[in-house]
Amino acid sequence: MTALPLRYFVACVLGLLLVAAPDAQAQEVPIAIDTPVEGIDRYNPDIPTPQDVIGHEIGTRHTRPAQVIDYFEAVAEASDRVVMERHGTTYDHRPLIHAVVAPPEDLSRLDEIKAQNQALSSDPSSVSDADLADLPAVAYMGYSIHGDEASGTEAAVLLLYHMAAGEGPAVDAVLGDVVTIIDPLFNPDGRARFVNWVNGNRGETATADDQDREHNQPWPGGRTNHYWFDLNRDWMPVQHPSSQARIALYQDWRPQVLTDYHEMGSEATYFFQPGVPSRTNPNTPDENQELAGELAEYHADFLDEIGSLYYTREQFDDFYYGKGSTYPDVQGTVGILFEQASSRALKNDTDSGVMNYAFTVRNQFLASLSTLQGTVELREDLLRYQRDFFADRDEFLDDAPMTGYLISSERYPQRAQALGQLLMQHRVELFDLEETVESNGRTYRPGSAYWVPLDQEQGRFVKGVMEQRTTFQDSLFYDVSTWTLPLAFGTDYSELTSTPDGVRGERITDMSYDGGRVVGGEAEVAYVMPWGRYFAPRALYQLQDADITTRMMPDPFEVEVGGTTQSFDRGAIVIPLQQRNATRQEVHAAVQEAASAHHVEIMAVNRGLTPQGPDLGSASSTVLQKPEVALVTGNDGRSRWGGASAANAGEVWHLLSERFDMPVSLLDISYIESLDLSEYNTLVMAGGSYDGLDAERVQAWVEDGGTLIASHTGVRWAVDHEMVELEAKTLDVDSLVADQDYADLGEARGAQGIGGSIFEAQLDTTHPLAFGYDETIPVFRRGTRFYEPHEEPGHTVGTYTDTPRISGYISDPVEEIAQESAALVAEQRGSGQVILLMDNPNFRAFWYGTNGLFLNALFFGDTF
Ligand SMILES: [Zn+2]
């Protein structure tokens, strides 16, 4: 590929758009018409402008997702440089689309180009330096994953127009050297919420007043996806359809550059990476950050040209691989984060004057052009870097302290399979075992374990997401400090330091959930379902929903099934054949269906008398109530920011509605007082502040028999309102930072926080809230509010161990306070109960290991 001469100074895309617009005079947006876009002779009039299709000029309104797609379709139709593809669908059934921009002769051989590009990672030794000279680079330009950080998507629309219609050396150079993928809508569902709000709450004459309605979107805001998840934390966990579709697209292309355009506070300027150097994930090679630094020169050039201020190497970092600009860094791609000061609405008063939406779009657009120009000029360096990233495997393996991970699926098959599904989406290769392997006192058997070696293409990724980490160069983190996946999924696993013989069998190509059957044919007396399988609560709910009565056995027992003895741990569910509201045939059918659909093993029992332990009709067994769940959501109306945490509430909503097929009523805190709470037997406060909630009313509801489940920051409300008597353990941060200079105070205070670490908790497994669990489990910990164990015996179901931190950052004084403090507390109150989970058991939807604690509270909350 030959790079064409650049740096013509001709016309301005925004200028042309505005001048060409028939009602340009009517626009009050003072976007700089003389913003120069260098290297363009003219824009081809045969390509529709955004205004032709959408009906408004970019920057004068907020463009809806459907309009963006209309425009991309129209350009793909009119231009031989553009193809549009659909790569997925969101929860709200919106299409996820991207455009591929390349010369027509390349568009007709995209598969070949894709394969050549893939060879850099799959077969790096086959690609010589001379080959690199002829390869185009691939730039994946992605926008506005936070739906209310809207300027990025507008810039993507302009970029498509510029690339499709632009004629001149600047566009020629990009077309000649780069395959550009433009993904304008990382999060269309969130954008739709935001855009409907701002456009719908703005009059013909826009106000810059930030107290105005347009400037204050309502709870939960447009940042997140349908279930209120931050999609820019889900690149690695891939629990949501839009992430899954995007990661498949990324992996199909393995681009050299990936961009991620955001917005930040209105008083800020502009940020682009590299971020804080000391906070770069140690699994990311230094050269990645050096290349980000070289690309930064181009962003600086473009923004200097118009006098826009910016910053680098501060505030933002490249540590958590779940973020869009960091995920690619452990896969040979250079990911770049951009942050534009937000105008919030169409215009906004700031300390430096009125900021217009169009101004923010212009910066994002220019930083897109700079990325492409940088990619053209650094093309061979970027390609070589990616090839060498994959070629240097031996060096990486020599340095890595481990050789791979053995995951057992024997006791917790679905959790291990869910982890395997996650890894396979990132094109990690998993292998069945050839022989039985013993490690750390565990036996891993072929068929019920898998091997994840570092010696594979995605070896660095494997290390980056599977390892435990307890040493850090910095003590501050933009996001969490750890995510060790086998701990999050609660799987039995071993990290191996050598590769034993026979560990690597056949490659696994299918990791679907399996297992699930009825053992022993048609039962005569009852069926028994052990508790502990991941989807057992879903099976139970389905039976309850079919009006089938179930009993929970709190003690272990044995039964004879088909001539063999089966042992059951605490929490087994007995499903009697004699039912008041269902026939025997209906029970047989429902049990068959539950076993196969929810991957549980259910035993058929022909005698109520058991050889060991309580009989099936045991006096200690409890008839289970079907959970009727209400989740506290919304803002209490007292401030713009108070109320339930949308992220935490969304995690519960998603878990129940999406994964466990259970309805949940979302009750808004602002009108909860007018609602009839007796419709529900379970109320969930998943996190946030609940000042608007009437504590006396909730107490009365609990005393009447309700189960209140509070988790994470939701615990505070329950303790503050004396729903449970617990003593907080406080850390005196002031005394810890007393010797610090003024300039170092912020960092010193921050170092005493827990942005996200993994702790070990010890459970009383004889308590129903811990049924199905081992005595020690990993939990995800955020925040430094700790509590003493409950004074009454039997009320503290979980505590942190005396060395609680197993992965992630924590300061010594904080660890001291955390030791042996309460992790899970339950107390009866009147006829009801209050259950406090100090941690977030449903964190970001990938903590499969602790979901069961929350579900125990839901299903067994009234059994003790
Ligand atoms: Zn953002």
Side-chain angles (χ1 to χ4, degrees), residues 579-596:
Q579 294 273 336
R580 301 213 168 96
N581 298 312
T583 65
R584 295 170 80 90
Q585 277 321 310
E586 283 167 346
V587 175
H588 292 313
V591 164
Q592 284 289 350
E593 162 69 17
S596 61

Side-chain angles (χ1 to χ4, degrees), residues 479-494:
D479 197 74
V480 298
S481 69
T482 184
W483 43 89
T484 311
L485 292 181
L487 297 177
F489 281 79
T491 52
D492 291 335
Y493 82 108
S494 298

Side-chain angles (χ1 to χ4, degrees), residues 89-417:
T89 306
T90 68
Y91 285 120
D92 285 348
H93 298 254
R94 288 191 177 82
L96 293 158
I97 57 113
H98 65 277
V100 183
V101 186
E105 59 276 18
D106 283 352
L107 286 181
S108 61
R109 55 173 200 105
L110 277 185
D111 285 344
E112 190 187 326
I113 295 176
K114 213 183 265 184
Q116 284 173 342
N117 200 61
Q118 281 279 350
L120 296 167
S121 47
S122 62
D123 192 10
S125 62
S126 73
V127 189
S128 68
D129 285 353
D131 294 336
L132 294 180
D134 290 331
L135 265 186
V138 179
Y140 187 146
M141 309 291 291
Y143 296 87
S144 297
I145 198 161
H146 294 144
D148 56 0
E149 300 174 5
S151 56
T153 294
E154 311 283 354
V157 171
L158 285 183
L159 180 66
L160 182 72
Y161 175 69
H162 169 82
M163 289 301 301
E167 292 177 355
V171 167
D172 288 346
V174 177
L175 286 173
D177 279 359
V178 182
V179 174
T180 306
I181 297 164
I182 306 177
D183 188 336
L185 295 160
F186 272 162
N187 176 14
D189 294 352
R191 183 181 184 85
R193 286 203 301 275
F194 177 70
V195 167
N196 283 342
W197 180 262
V198 287
N199 285 346
N201 285 282
R202 181 174 58 241
E204 185 58 28
T205 308
T207 174
D209 176 11
D210 73 356
Q211 301 195 67
D212 157 73
R213 216 171 142 82
E214 180 196 352
H215 296 69
N216 293 283
Q217 53 176 331
W219 197 100
R223 175 185 177 90
T224 50
N225 77 349
H226 175 89
Y227 286 108
W228 312 334
F229 280 74
D230 186 336
L231 288 174
N232 200 35
R233 303 294 181 269
D234 192 49
W235 289 71
M236 179 273 290
V238 282
Q239 296 302 311
H240 301 287
S242 45
S243 311
Q244 290 159 6
R246 186 184 340 108
I247 292 309
L249 179 63
Y250 169 87
Q251 294 292 347
D252 281 349
W253 277 102
R254 294 251 169 101
Q256 281 71 50
V257 174
L258 183 144
T259 63
D260 187 21
Y261 292 86
H262 289 252
E263 291 180 1
M264 57 182 163
S266 299
E267 301 298 343
T269 58
Y270 196 81
F271 168 85
F272 46 85
Q273 280 182 329
V276 181
S278 58
R279 295 193 221 155
T280 303
N281 193 301
N283 290 299
T284 296
D286 294 342
E287 207 188 337
N288 171 288
Q289 297 290 300
E290 287 159 21
L291 283 165
E294 287 183 46
L295 283 168
E297 300 283 345
Y298 294 86
H299 316 315
D301 282 351
F302 273 74
L303 292 173
D304 282 347
E305 194 78 36
I306 57 163
S308 263
L309 288 178
Y310 49 80
Y311 63 98
T312 65
R313 297 181 168 82
E314 287 178 69
Q315 192 178 8
F316 300 100
D317 67 27
D318 252 335
F319 191 80
Y320 171 51
Y321 288 125
K323 284 168 53 199
S325 51
T326 308
Y327 169 77
D329 291 345
V330 73
Q331 302 176 76
T333 304
V334 179
I336 313 281
L337 170 69
F338 299 88
E339 295 271 355
Q340 163 65 46
S342 179
S343 66
R344 301 282 173 235
L346 198 61
K347 50 204 300 199
N348 195 27
D349 274 330
T350 73
D351 290 350
S352 40
V354 172
M355 189 198 309
N356 291 292
Y357 187 44
F359 168 84
T360 68
V361 173
R362 180 181 63 170
N363 282 346
Q364 305 276 45
F365 173 64
L366 291 176
S368 303
L369 298 188
S370 61
T371 300
L372 290 178
Q373 187 178 327
T375 306
V376 168
E377 296 185 15
L378 300 170
R379 180 180 57 88
E380 284 193 54
D381 294 338
L382 290 161
L383 289 163
R384 185 179 304 108
Y385 165 69
Q386 190 179 58
R387 180 198 60 184
D388 295 348
F389 177 94
F390 289 100
D392 292 343
R393 195 191 293 186
D394 288 344
E395 203 177 306
F396 157 67
L397 292 172
D398 284 348
D399 291 346
M402 73 292 283
T403 60
Y405 293 85
L406 269 175
I407 311 288
S408 168
S409 52
E410 207 158 283
R411 283 196 314 153
Y412 303 112
Q414 283 73 39
R415 289 194 219 158
Q417 285 160 356

